Amino acid sequence: MPDQYDLSNIVGAGSAGSVIANRLSEDSGVTVLLIEAGGSEYGNDNIKIPLIGGGLQKSSADWNYQTLPQKNSHFAMNEHRSYWPRGRVLGGTSCLNTLVYIRGSRHDYNQWAEEGCEGWSYKDVLPYFIKTEDYQMPNEYDSAYHGKGGYMKLTDSTLTPLVEVYRRGAEEIGYKTVDANGEDQIGFSYAQASVHNGERCSTASCYLRPILSRPNLHISIDSFVTKVIIKNKIATGVEMLKSNRKLKISAKREVIVSAGSINSPQILMLSGLGPKQHLQNLKIPVIADLPVGNNLEDHLQYFVKHKINQSYSLSSESRNMFSSLQYALTRTGPLSGTGLEANLFGRMINREESLPNYPDYQILFLSVAHDNFFYDYGLQLNLKESVKDLIKTRTSTTEFTSVLIQQRPKSTGTIRLASKDPFDYPLIQPNYLDHTYDVKSLIAGIRKIQELAASNPLQEIGATLNRQDFDGICDKAKFDSDEYWECMLRHYAVTCYHPTSTCRMGAKDDPTAVVDTKLRVRGIKGLRVADASVMRHVISGNTNAPTIMIGERAADFIRGKDTVQKFKEQIKHLKL
Ligand SMILES: Cc1cc2nc3c(=O)[nH]c(=O)nc-3n(C[C@H](O)[C@H](O)[C@H](O)COP(=O)(O)OP(=O)(O)OC[C@H]3O[C@@H](n4cnc5c(N)ncnc54)[C@H](O)[C@@H]3O)c2cc1C
């Protein structure tokens, strides 16, 4: 491997880093190095098969983070800690996520712009979303909002008869069916998924694999970056460990850190960029006093489970010889879907804010029964063994889960270094549910789920709440009171895996910002951060698509190019 590259060392081959590597290496005259701590994703069925995406959790391709113990939440979890899976593999977290494709609300981006992120309003980011997409959905969606021929393949991931039951229920309680990535996010929407020909479309498989033969792109896997080398406030390269050898690789023009919302702030702080007092306490020489690791935002999710009297949902029986053969031969059948079939974005009643179509909660419908399959391939939640045993007494072979996800949380947290050793995991403090507003808006979502469950279409299939309260767990509060649900939330709500904003973007003079609106680290030349950590705030929805969009934008900033002119034309007539 050469020890110098023309344009960039990109640290982290995740959702953003892989995109940037692809785009920068389109210019054949420059050499690009993409550095990834994890190994190859190739041939790993736990990555490839959509339905068993959870199978990668706690494997060697997962950083396997835990938060600090939570004061006001996670009471049913070991030590009150939240387990945070993160991909440590080519493709990063796009290799172990649940493949839901949502861009966020137009109001999110307009708010970023209002808070000083000039050039990041919805009108500015929409062309980049369109550029990334190869949309293979039914034609009734407004095609002006979608793209064909991009690297991210999107398909409809509906599989079971439940999806039409959800839709009819949502319609009965007043929701129209919308394209959640189109004009209005509020309403019922069929899930759009990053799945291609029945396989996961990670940024490794969809952005990197097709261009591996480019001679100017080098990818170094199993390579752990320990710091960015900064001389006279100019980033000149990185230090990394590969096969037990310490290497220094220099970049003539830029270093781009795309190591995600936990590791990007970690690398910056190890390099001397961060809160002065914190770095001084750890005896790290301070190069720039910046609010790195502050403003951590994340979505909480809470699972409301309903048993049903029809065998509509996916279950342990869905993974059998027949479905495995069907998948092997045709890439269709139960294994080809994610189980997450639809969304409902809604608002709180009596919400103070004025924007009528800015959602407060997202409900994702998971048509998978809470049985052995769920335990084997579902999300690992860090539940105490004693609680797991109790929950198993209420398992069911036909069921669906309404995954309630709070939008725009008010509780925020931090990432800090545990020590100056790059191998020590950072301290993650999300402070979940510290703010009572977050409890209030989640309860509003639970009430909406109850309204839906009481609708005729859901009652026709016998939807009944599969309770998760037990002796000693929320048994003191009156069942179904707000107090009861608050207790349940504080026990069972967990991360929705959307940490953002730890290297937050802002205007040049914004003291809360780590990077400027072109993603350059403030006060340092030749260094950018581009991944979920730069989001001004966490968006309404899921964070993979917005992170890919950020990767696309970063590449244009670095190349000094506007590659989306034709998509700007495409959206010219839209009222944005
Ligand atoms: C279980 C789960 C389910 C999710 N489901 C969805 C979903 O359905 N839809 C959705 O939109 N979003 C989902 N997300 C969130 C989404 O996948 C992430 O927001 C997104 O992938 C973040 O991208 P990133 O580029 O910021 O970081 P990552 O993709 O995590 O990339 C960071 C990369 O940097 C590498 N790295 C870190 N440190 C170093 C170092 N020191 N040296 C070298 N390399 C390093 C990592 O190994 C990793 O490959 C989910 C996340 C999880 C965990």
Side-chain angles (χ1 to χ4, degrees), residues 11-17 35-38 57 63 65 84-94 96-102 223-226 258-261 263-264 266-267 340 364 379 496-500 530-533 535 541-547:
V11 180
S15 297
I35 307 166
E36 170 54 44
Q57 294 192 3
W63 287 90
Y65 287 119
W84 278 23
R86 296 273 108 194
R88 183 180 180 144
V89 61
L90 214 57
T93 306
S94 76
L96 54 67
N97 70 17
T98 46
L99 295 164
V100 176
Y101 179 88
I102 294 278
S223 305
F224 185 87
V225 169
T226 51
S258 297
S261 293
N263 296 84
S264 286
Q266 181 196 25
I267 293 169
L340 287 160
L364 257 170
L379 306 169
C496 191
Y497 319 105
H498 296 161
T500 65
D531 55 27
S533 73
M535 291 186 197
N542 311 68
T543 43
N544 194 44
T547 307

Side-chain angles (χ1 to χ4, degrees), residues 25 67 92 125 134 151 162 209 211 215 232 301 356 364 402 417 428 440 486 490 508 546 551:
S25 60
T67 67
V125 300
D134 189 8
Y151 283 100
L162 275 169
R209 295 266 156 215
I211 53 127
N232 302 324
Q301 63 181 340
L364 257 170
S402 307
L417 295 177
I428 304 171
K440 210 171 117 190
E486 174 165 355
R490 293 196 189 278
K508 261 194 191 137

Side-chain angles (χ1 to χ4, degrees), residues 142-445:
D142 184 349
S143 58
Y145 283 88
H146 290 282
K148 286 259 185 220
Y151 283 100
M152 275 319 278
K153 316 285 178 199
L154 297 186
T155 45
D156 179 333
S157 76
T158 56
L159 270 178
T160 78
L162 275 169
V163 68
E164 284 308 314
V165 182
Y166 306 140
R167 189 190 58 73
R168 288 190 290 115
E171 201 172 78
E172 187 178 297
I173 64 167
Y175 287 98
K176 57 183 188 250
T177 299
V178 297
D179 168 6
N181 294 310
E183 189 182 343
D184 187 0
Q185 201 182 13
I186 300 273
F188 172 88
S189 48
Y190 295 105
Q192 301 173 20
S194 315
V195 173
H196 181 46
N197 291 339
E199 293 185 7
R200 170 183 296 273
C201 177
S202 68
T203 53
S205 62
C206 283
Y207 266 91
L208 291 178
R209 295 266 156 215
I211 53 127
L212 279 187
S213 60
R214 285 184 194 162
N216 60 331
L217 171 65
H218 290 184
I219 302 176
S220 183
I221 55 172
D222 300 315
S223 305
F224 185 87
V225 169
T226 51
K227 67 187 274 195
V228 178
I229 304 163
I230 301 171
K231 286 185 194 139
N232 302 324
K233 303 225 168 191
I234 303 171
T236 58
V238 296
E239 268 181 25
M240 68 182 201
L241 279 170
K242 188 176 171 79
S243 311
N244 288 329
R245 280 191 311 143
K246 195 167 165 181
L247 302 174
K248 284 188 182 183
I249 313 279
S250 58
K252 271 194 203 156
R253 269 174 54 194
E254 293 220 19
V255 174
I256 299 131
V257 177
S258 297
S261 293
I262 306 161
N263 296 84
S264 286
Q266 181 196 25
I267 293 169
L268 259 51
M269 288 189 274
L270 289 168
S271 313
L273 312 173
K276 188 171 163 189
Q277 193 59 57
H278 177 56
L279 299 187
Q280 282 175 344
N281 292 346
L282 295 173
K283 303 201 167 26
I284 296 173
V286 181
I287 296 176
D289 180 13
L290 289 169
V292 174
N294 294 0
N295 304 305
L296 167 65
E297 294 186 16
D298 188 20
H299 289 144
L300 260 191
Q301 63 181 340
Y302 176 73
F303 305 108
V304 183
K305 295 172 182 299
H306 282 93
K307 287 191 247 184
I308 51 177
N309 59 19
Q310 302 289 322
S311 56
Y312 283 168
S313 56
L314 301 168
S315 68
S316 295
E317 285 168 17
S318 307
R319 196 177 187 195
N320 53 33
M321 235 167 61
F322 176 73
S323 66
S324 300
L325 193 66
Q326 181 185 16
Y327 186 78
L329 296 176
T330 63
R331 291 288 186 264
T332 59
L335 299 183
S336 68
T338 61
L340 287 160
E341 300 199 285
N343 289 284
L344 193 149
F345 281 93
R347 295 184 38 174
M348 271 164 78
I349 308 155
N350 298 329
R351 181 159 64 79
E352 315 84 50
E353 286 109 317
S354 56
L355 300 168
N357 56 353
Y358 205 177
D360 294 305
Y361 48 79
Q362 172 185 6
I363 299 164
L364 257 170
F365 297 104
L366 174 68
S367 307
V368 177
H370 191 140
D371 70 352
N372 290 342
F373 185 86
F374 189 87
Y375 286 107
D376 289 346
Y377 298 110
L379 306 169
Q380 310 279 322
L381 303 176
N382 205 24
L383 282 164
K384 291 175 188 167
E385 284 308 314
S386 57
V387 178
K388 250 192 218 168
D389 290 343
L390 289 169
I391 289 178
K392 280 183 180 166
T393 63
R394 293 189 192 167
T395 55
S396 160
T397 50
T398 89
E399 190 180 47
F400 71 90
T401 299
S402 307
V403 181
L404 170 64
I405 307 168
Q406 192 215 352
Q407 313 293 291
R408 290 177 290 127
K410 290 204 197 266
S411 309
T412 60
T414 53
I415 303 285
R416 290 287 179 260
L417 295 177
S419 78
K420 62 198 286 190
D421 178 350
F423 290 97
D424 270 357
Y425 275 11
L427 306 174
I428 304 171
Q429 177 50 277
N431 295 317
Y432 291 120
L433 298 185
D434 273 12
H435 210 293
T436 50
Y437 171 88
D438 296 343
V439 176
K440 210 171 117 190
S441 67
L442 278 162
I443 293 177

Side-chain angles (χ1 to χ4, degrees), residues 554-570:
D556 267 15
F557 295 148
I558 296 162
R559 298 165 85 190
K561 279 191 178 167
D562 174 354
T563 59
V564 292
Q565 204 50 45
K566 81 170 181 194
F567 305 113
K568 287 180 183 163
E569 289 296 319
Q570 177 178 322

